Amino acid sequence: MKKVVIIGGGFAGSYAAKKLQRDFDVTLIDTKDYFEFTPSILRTIVEPKHIKKIQVLHRHYLPHARIVTAEVNDVTTTDVLTTKQKIAYDYLIISSGSSYTTPIKEKNTVIANRAATLRNYTHILTKAKKVLIIGGGLVGVELAAEIVDCYPGKEVTIIHAHENLITRHHPKAVRHAQRFLQQKGVTIIYNQRMVENKDGYCFTNKGVCIEHDIIFICTGIKANSSFLHHNFSAIVNQKQQLKVNNYLQVLNYQTIFAAGDITDRKEEKTAQNAEMQAALIVRNIFHVERKEKLEQYHSAERPMVISLGKRNGIFTYKNIVITGIIPAFLKTMIEWKTMRRYK
Ligand SMILES: Cc1cc2nc3c(=O)[nH]c(=O)nc-3n(C[C@H](O)[C@H](O)[C@H](O)COP(=O)(O)OP(=O)(O)OC[C@H]3O[C@@H](n4cnc5c(N)ncnc54)[C@H](O)[C@@H]3O)c2cc1C
């Protein structure tokens, strides 16, 4: 059997490993020993018990694959290197995703420690009177909504660098998110950036000082590509994303593919795009084996659900915007459907 090595067990890597495990000698290398449904992670900060619904150990859904819990620190044209071992491949799938600040994403951890980190944040949050969120993008907005939904009395402030929240979305979606948060008492400071954060005080570029008991940094998504700097720096762009062609092959390499947040595809970095890319890579690996023509990946605007706590949300697709309880329910359904595939 040919060897497929997959770096990263997020949406793209886990999907590909699951689909390829019976036909190839698959090795999944991940810094974590589990798959996590990231879109629901913000709920677990206010409701730690929810974590059980959104995590599954890789070994549960990959009985035919080899799982290596380690950090990849180098890649050559024939091998993947971790601190402890060198693993040869015929095909390589790079799906190392992106990093966020803790507790939103965590890299080097096992399932038990992850739950402990989240419980610790909940503990601090429960006691906190003043909560500060940096960034009014999708993550900052969803987190603020979860907090005010669960703890109505808390003073929540968002500092956002632009003149509207969730800037890239439809104006109706933007208006709904802003109205929802303002009605729940969230203070939104527009057009300012954090420049310093010290001893419970945050200072903005316009001289505003905000006291807080807990701060969440919801900006600064970073592609996880440091292990490519040694041999592949020429095909890593300025955003640290890996350049791919339309077949999702890494530029100049026919047997190395990349999917998800790590790629330089100009589209929203979402879980569903990561999975669609992984599905195409799976098909293209079979095409290479059968000496067939490869399929091209087409970026497209796809439906998106933004949750605003348990009972409110926003569904957007092209010019369609639906707000209220239906999108909230839809998000729960997506979580359930995704996790059912891995259980
Ligand atoms: C709070 C939040 C809410 C979101 N909500 C939505 C939503 O509602 N809908 C949606 O579609 N998308 C949503 N997204 C985006 C979505 O989660 C990402 O686009 C998706 O996780 C990308 O999947 P991926 O497989 O590319 O990478 P990731 O999910 O980031 O997985 C990468 C994996 O690689 C591992 N890894 C990294 N470096 C190494 C290394 N050197 N060696 C070994 N392993 C490594 C990581 O530990 C991780 O397990 C949200 C993201 C966040 C943060």
Side-chain angles (χ1 to χ4, degrees):
M1 268 192 192
K2 291 230 174 124
K3 297 186 188 78
V4 178
V5 173
I6 300 171
I7 304 174
F11 282 88
S14 299
Y15 182 96
K18 197 165 181 298
K19 295 286 172 189
L20 293 168
Q21 62 179 332
R22 287 178 188 277
D23 298 287
F24 292 87
D25 175 359
V26 171
T27 303
L28 175 74
I29 312 175
D30 192 5
T31 55
K32 320 184 267 80
D33 61 349
Y34 58 92
F35 168 82
E36 181 171 272
F37 185 78
T38 314
S40 293
I41 206 65
L42 303 172
R43 170 91 22 102
T44 65
I45 296 171
V46 296
E47 195 183 300
K49 274 193 206 144
H50 194 72
I51 198 77
K52 288 210 173 103
K53 293 192 181 161
I54 64 160
Q55 290 178 331
V56 55
L57 286 166
H58 293 311
R59 67 180 143 81
H60 277 317
Y61 63 91
L62 295 175
H64 307 289
R66 178 175 164 219
I67 293 142
V68 176
T69 308
E71 178 157 6
V72 170
N73 46 34
D74 205 357
V75 173
T76 71
T77 51
T78 51
D79 299 283
V80 173
L81 286 87
T82 72
T83 38
K84 289 192 187 138
Q85 51 192 319
K86 184 169 157 182
I87 304 166
Y89 66 84
D90 298 301
Y91 294 100
L92 175 63
I93 302 176
I94 301 173
S95 49
S96 47
S98 55
S99 300
Y100 246 92
T101 50
T102 311
I104 297 164
K105 275 191 183 180
E106 261 184 293
K107 230 165 71 169
N108 297 308
T109 189
V110 292
I111 204 159
N113 295 350
R114 175 68 167 147
T117 305
L118 289 164
R119 272 200 306 275
N120 188 34
Y121 268 85
T122 313
H123 182 67
I124 303 171
L125 182 62
T126 312
K127 288 191 171 165
K129 283 195 180 122
K130 297 177 181 185
V131 181
L132 181 59
I133 294 173
I134 307 298
L138 189 82
V139 176
V141 165
E142 286 196 343
L143 179 60
E146 290 292 345
I147 294 172
V148 290
D149 196 29
C150 190
Y151 304 101
K154 294 209 189 291
E155 282 177 42
V156 179
T157 305
I158 300 178
I159 298 180
H160 186 49
H162 305 281
E163 59 187 311
N164 281 308
L165 300 178
I166 49 169
T167 332
R168 290 198 301 274
H169 293 272
H170 192 285
K172 201 175 156 196
V174 173
R175 277 198 301 276
H176 183 76
Q178 293 183 166
R179 206 179 312 124
F180 175 89
L181 292 177
Q182 273 157 353
Q183 279 170 358
K184 297 268 180 183
V186 175
T187 306
I188 307 168
I189 300 175
Y190 292 102
N191 295 315
Q192 297 196 36
R193 288 170 193 277
M194 176 177 80
V195 286
E196 199 185 348
N197 179 41
K198 216 172 156 194
D199 304 329
Y201 291 92
C202 164
F203 299 88
T204 75
N205 57 337
K206 295 200 178 153
V208 174
C209 169
I210 299 138
E211 192 185 358
H212 58 81
D213 303 312
I214 187 167
I215 183 168
F216 293 95
I217 313 284
C218 298
T219 57
I221 179 170
K222 253 175 53 195
N224 296 323
S225 59
S226 55
F227 59 91
L228 295 164
H229 289 171
H230 190 213
N231 291 315
F232 294 85
S233 60
I235 49 167
V236 170
N237 72 11
Q238 281 187 334
K239 289 182 176 170
Q240 305 304 312
Q241 297 161 334
L242 190 53
K243 296 182 190 172
V244 290
N245 65 19
N246 285 341
Y247 307 110
L248 300 181
Q249 287 163 315
V250 169
L251 277 200
N252 313 328
Y253 297 91
Q254 299 203 331
T255 54
I256 307 181
F257 293 83
D261 287 7
I262 188 71
T263 72
D264 71 337
R265 296 292 306 193
K266 294 202 177 13
E267 62 181 358
E268 285 290 326
K269 298 295 178 203
T270 65
Q272 48 175 331
N273 285 337
E275 275 191 2
M276 284 199 157
Q277 293 175 10
L280 182 113
I281 291 173
V282 167
R283 295 199 297 278
N284 277 346
I285 288 179
F286 281 110
H287 290 319
V288 176
E289 283 294 292
R290 297 176 193 137
K291 303 196 175 13
E292 294 165 353
K293 198 166 171 272
L294 300 197
E295 289 176 48
Q296 295 204 18
Y297 180 76
H298 300 286
S299 298
E301 201 181 323
R302 302 194 213 282
M304 180 91 199
V305 182
I306 301 163
S307 57
L308 297 171
K310 275 187 178 164
R311 286 166 291 271
N312 208 309
I314 307 168
F315 169 90
T316 62
Y317 180 50
K318 296 187 177 163
N319 272 330
I320 305 165
V321 180
I322 301 169
T323 58
I325 191 135
I326 294 170
F329 177 70
L330 210 59
K331 181 104 176 204
T332 309
M333 287 303 294
I334 297 168
E335 175 196 298
W336 176 79
K337 207 169 149 231
T338 307
M339 294 312 297
R340 205 174 65 138
R341 286 207 312 255
Y342 289 98
K343 296 277 178 182

